[in-house]
Amino acid sequence: MLLMAGAFCLAGCRSGSDLRDQFQLSDYTLSFDERLRLELAAPIIVLGKVTDVEVVGTPTKSLGDPRINTQLTNIRISVEMAIKGGPLPNQLRFSLFTYSQQNDATLGVPQYNPAVGQRRIYFLKRWSDGYRSIGDVTNYNLHIESGTHEEGVCGGISPGCCIARLLLVPGQNFDADQFAKDIGPAAAASQVLCSRAEARALLEKLTTHRDKRIADAAIDIISMENWR
């Protein structure tokens, strides 16, 4: 685990004429667990906050599904933590293709709409002299509702277990109500990315949290049959 240092990265700023979207028909039916395993295999996993979103060029027909249009987008993040594949610069720019607003209908599955201020874990790979998301259009990222954490929160553990801690260990300056609402999905992700035992242990700690909303949510989750 490294806190980032380095120069601003201009990766992904090219016109995009040599970039094509990676969207596939299988993205429509990819299960929650399958997506998480693909994400965990990414060469670069980084936690950061979006500081700029730049639309590049015009929408194009997707190679994976010509019925939809995709839009090349550059995203700049302020890097908070390199979970895997560091060291990385303090400011990192990467490319992905989003679902174009020029489409006539909704995608039918959750899609990713980047916006300034989002704080997420992104799953990236190096491309040419820059970076790009390992997947496009749909949600190849995880939002974090637990606030900010101390540098050593992930010391000596695997990337998947680090993500589990970031999802289920409250830090500083977090929204307790939103964190409580997100405990169920966070726990489900944590048992895939790390282990069922670790996810349950993190849930059990939350059952004694001083905020009743958080404690009650953790108790409700851990009392479910699949967690017994």
Side-chain angles (χ1 to χ4, degrees):
M1 178 64 52
L2 296 172
L3 285 180
M4 302 310 101
F8 174 69
C9 174
L10 295 178
C13 296
R14 61 182 63 199
S15 67
S17 60
D18 49 351
L19 261 183
R20 295 293 183 269
D21 76 74
Q22 306 165 107
F23 187 71
Q24 304 175 63
L25 291 176
S26 59
D27 283 318
Y28 288 115
T29 57
L30 198 63
S31 72
F32 180 70
D33 289 10
E34 289 170 332
R35 184 180 299 275
L36 287 169
R37 293 189 180 100
L38 287 174
E39 291 171 341
L40 189 58
I44 299 167
I45 303 176
V46 58
L47 170 61
K49 187 174 184 178
V50 177
T51 59
D52 185 63
V53 178
E54 175 193 12
V55 173
V56 181
T58 58
T60 57
K61 293 292 182 184
S62 171
L63 293 178
D65 185 353
R67 298 171 299 176
I68 69 170
N69 294 305
T70 60
Q71 177 67 63
L72 177 58
T73 306
N74 288 331
I75 298 177
R76 185 173 66 189
I77 60 172
S78 175
V79 174
E80 181 179 327
M81 188 180 295
I83 298 169
K84 180 182 178 183
L88 296 172
N90 286 333
Q91 301 289 322
L92 185 149
R93 189 184 296 266
F94 66 93
S95 300
L96 59 76
F97 284 82
T98 58
Y99 189 65
S100 171
Q101 294 182 354
Q102 291 189 13
N103 286 294
D104 296 328
T106 60
L107 184 62
V109 295
Q111 65 195 60
Y112 177 48
N113 298 309
V116 172
Q118 290 173 342
R119 183 169 176 266
R120 301 197 175 212
I121 294 174
Y122 292 98
F123 302 89
L124 311 177
K125 60 185 177 182
R126 286 182 172 83
W127 172 80
S128 186
D129 59 348
Y131 303 90
R132 70 177 299 183
S133 172
I134 63 163
D136 294 318
V137 180
T138 55
N139 288 331
Y140 281 93
N141 57 72
L142 290 172
H143 67 276
I144 296 292
E145 300 292 351
S146 59
T148 58
H149 295 81
E150 302 261 338
E151 180 177 354
V153 65
C154 290
I157 61 176
S158 69
C161 290
C162 174
I163 296 173
R165 287 191 185 178
L166 293 174
L167 289 170
L168 288 172
V169 175
Q172 299 178 348
N173 303 316
F174 71 100
D175 184 322
D177 187 59
Q178 191 58 49
F179 178 79
K181 291 176 181 177
D182 198 53
I183 287 176
S190 295
Q191 69 172 335
V192 176
L193 294 169
C194 184
S195 71
R196 180 181 176 83
E198 180 64 14
R200 184 180 174 89
L202 293 171
L203 279 173
E204 287 175 345
K205 289 182 180 179
L206 291 176
T207 63
T208 60
H209 196 277
R210 64 181 179 276
D211 191 300
K212 190 175 185 300
R213 291 168 294 180
I214 294 173
D216 287 349
I219 291 168
D220 287 343
I221 296 298
I222 213 168
S223 65
M224 292 181 179
E225 185 175 350
N226 60 315
W227 282 99
R228 292 174 187 168

